[in-house]
Amino acid sequence: MRALRTSATFLIAALLLVGCSNSEQPSDAPAAPANAQTRAVDVTKEFSASDTSAITYKPDLVPVGSSVAVSSRSGGGSSTVTLTVTGLLPDHHYGAHAHTKPCGAAAADSGPHFQNEKDPVTPSVDPAFANPQNEIWLDLSTGGSGAASATSTVAWDFTDAAAPKSVVVHANHTSMEPGKAGTAGDRLACVNVGF
């Protein structure tokens, strides 16, 4: 009888140990983040006349040494990009957009605007494609100090296969009218961003 009690005690202890070593999380444990694919980037640069990572093509409008910062968060079905500039012309209107290619020595090197749904016609000036819901538009109006900030939020994610490579500052605010949609004048400066 004593051996039977000892065996029963041993069996209960073994069952308790097995139950405690279970690797499953209890149901009240915090869940893993819903979106483990969040992409985040923060870039801060000064515009240069020669460094293509942040280059000015028109120093009279985007001076050498003026600064640019781009912050991007993408995941869970939306992307938010913020552009901040300092040292630009005071009380001036600039356009800005995310572009498909990195900056280069020539202003055109950054390619067209990045579009979530690509317009089959190039250049894209159809408001069905060239619009702030399908592209990243970051138009700026500088105050008296030459500083400004703009934020764009869109309802789609950047991915390894589809993400912009740069942000380009343009001479004018972006047009929305048919036949001119998405146009914003000359490319003044460009900064590379690893979206």
Side-chain angles (χ1 to χ4, degrees):
M1 182 75 149
R2 186 172 195 199
L4 185 57
R5 264 190 254 149
T6 305
S7 294
T9 304
F10 202 125
L11 181 60
I12 292 170
L15 288 171
L16 287 172
L17 283 173
V18 169
C20 289
S21 68
N22 187 345
S23 63
E24 292 181 33
Q25 290 183 330
S27 61
D28 61 346
N35 181 11
Q37 298 295 322
T38 299
R39 300 166 70 98
V41 65
D42 295 289
V43 173
T44 302
K45 296 276 189 177
E46 286 189 359
F47 285 116
S48 161
S50 58
D51 179 0
T52 57
S53 68
I55 188 167
T56 178
Y57 305 110
K58 303 272 186 175
D60 55 325
L61 297 174
V62 177
V64 170
S66 58
S67 69
V68 58
V70 179
S71 173
S72 173
R73 302 292 179 268
S74 181
S78 70
S79 301
T80 298
V81 179
T82 299
L83 171 66
T84 303
V85 295
T86 60
L88 273 59
L89 294 185
D91 303 313
H92 193 81
H93 300 294
Y94 295 91
H97 314 100
H99 281 246
T100 59
K101 296 180 182 178
C103 310
D109 290 346
S110 57
H113 296 178
F114 179 84
Q115 295 180 325
N116 181 49
E117 186 179 338
K118 194 170 181 342
D119 188 342
V121 176
T122 304
S124 179
V125 291
D126 180 349
F129 295 94
N131 64 65
Q133 292 78 43
N134 193 46
E135 300 182 348
I136 304 294
W137 290 12
L138 298 158
D139 288 3
L140 303 160
S141 293
T142 58
S145 67
S149 185
T151 298
S152 171
T153 299
V154 291
W156 36 273
D157 294 331
F158 300 136
T159 66
D160 289 345
K165 304 286 191 262
S166 61
V167 171
V168 173
V169 177
H170 292 265
N172 309 306
H173 273 180
T174 309
S175 176
M176 298 183 83
E177 63 183 277
K180 293 184 179 180
T183 61
D186 290 342
R187 297 178 189 206
L188 306 181
C190 183
V191 59
N192 286 338
V193 183
F195 291 98

